[in-house]
Amino acid sequence: RKEVEQDPGPFNVPEGATVAFNCTYSNSASQSFFWYRQDCRKEPKLLMSVYSSGNEDGRFTAQLNRASQYISLLIRDSKLSDSATYLCVVKREYGNKLVFGAGTILRVKS
Amino acid sequence: DTAVSQTPKYLVTQMGNDKSIKCEQNLGHDTMYWYKQDSKKFLKIMFSYNNKELIINETVPNRFSPKSPDKAHLNLHINSLELGDSAVYFCASSQERGPPNNSPLHFGNGTRLTVT
């Protein structure tokens, strides 16, 4: 079993839709959690950190459920420019190692 | 004013050759990394250096040798290239000790290596 698992998608949604991605992690000692975004043939970029109490940044909401070991990302009012691969990232408690999920592909269509 | 820069952007070479990829960061970060992203888009860490000291060395063939002359540079040398080494290699940096905590990774724009 991979340490970080995501549904690869693709998720094909119309503009304006709300879409949610889930991610599960297997290491209960994981300390920090992030969502990164990667556009085609580009480098990954931090979208948002995920905090225990949940956090929101504009149209994006991230949630963490430590008991069930999953993280979610909700995107409201999808834009064409949201089309990308969304990477779930987990940082272990010890060592400077971030483990990436394989990513979920989102395609927003007009 | 690029934060993490790596060169070259594209590298096409034949099996058996030796090649190097260079990386530099001007963010003042204390930790640098090499990641490999294969054809299935899976991003895996290869090495991590903190202040020139190797702290993560994943299961990577010893044909891959990182070198960190100072904390702003982390180069990757690959000997005897194989077809399976074809991938995109990303350099990244972060600040791991002292504030700010939870520093995100800043990636370079990648080196697309093709071994023929």
Side-chain angles (χ1 to χ4, degrees):
Chain A
R1 185 186 170 195
K2 293 194 178 78
E3 189 166 344
V4 179
E5 298 215 55
Q6 297 181 247
D7 181 345
F11 285 61
N12 296 303
V13 302
E15 273 187 289
T18 295
V19 61
F21 309 136
N22 287 332
C23 163
T24 58
Y25 60 95
S26 60
N27 190 335
S28 59
S30 299
Q31 181 186 43
S32 308
F33 308 89
F34 310 89
W35 283 102
Y36 277 70
R37 170 193 169 131
Q38 186 173 23
D39 292 289
C40 187
R41 301 179 80 87
K42 298 281 189 182
E43 73 275 19
K45 292 184 179 177
L46 178 69
L47 179 66
M48 58 195 303
S49 301
V50 185
Y51 302 118
S52 297
S53 54
N55 48 299
E56 190 174 305
D57 182 2
R59 298 181 293 108
F60 298 85
T61 300
Q63 299 273 2
L64 167 63
N65 185 320
R66 284 189 187 270
S68 302
Q69 294 182 199
Y70 81 79
I71 307 144
S72 65
L73 177 68
L74 182 80
I75 306 175
R76 289 182 299 279
D77 189 22
S78 300
K79 311 289 184 193
L80 294 175
S81 57
D82 294 334
S83 298
T85 299
Y86 290 83
L87 302 165
C88 174
V89 185
V90 170
K91 187 174 184 179
R92 290 182 183 168
E93 184 173 357
Y94 300 110
N96 299 332
K97 182 171 175 178
L98 279 80
V99 181
F100 283 75
T104 298
I105 297 170
L106 172 66
R107 296 183 187 139
V108 181
K109 298 181 186 292
S110 58
Chain B
D1 60 346
T2 306
V4 181
S5 59
Q6 54 182 109
T7 55
K9 190 168 182 180
Y10 298 97
L11 186 53
V12 181
T13 188
Q14 291 185 327
M15 283 173 58
N17 285 349
D18 303 339
K19 290 293 178 186
S20 291
I21 309 172
K22 296 186 175 180
C23 180
E24 175 181 4
Q25 55 98 2
N26 62 6
L27 296 165
H29 287 164
D30 61 2
T31 305
M32 295 185 72
Y33 310 79
W34 278 109
Y35 279 82
K36 177 181 179 180
Q37 189 167 43
D38 58 27
S39 56
K40 295 181 181 176
K41 307 301 182 189
F42 203 55
L43 202 63
K44 292 178 76 170
I45 191 167
M46 301 172 70
F47 303 103
S48 171
Y49 272 73
N50 180 274
N51 281 322
K52 302 196 302 176
E53 181 186 345
L54 180 65
I55 52 173
I56 293 176
N57 184 351
E58 290 295 287
T59 308
V60 175
N62 57 16
R63 299 181 294 104
F64 290 78
S65 51
K67 285 191 171 51
S68 183
D70 55 62
K71 74 172 194 175
H73 294 84
L74 180 62
N75 303 324
L76 183 66
H77 188 76
I78 315 170
N79 288 328
S80 303
L81 279 155
E82 300 178 357
L83 293 177
D85 297 334
S86 296
V88 181
Y89 292 84
F90 286 102
C91 177
S93 73
S94 68
Q95 182 64 28
E96 291 299 323
R97 294 183 187 165
N101 292 327
N102 253 5
S103 165
L105 284 179
H106 291 257
F107 284 88
N109 55 18
T111 296
R112 190 170 295 273
L113 171 65
T114 303
V115 182
T116 61

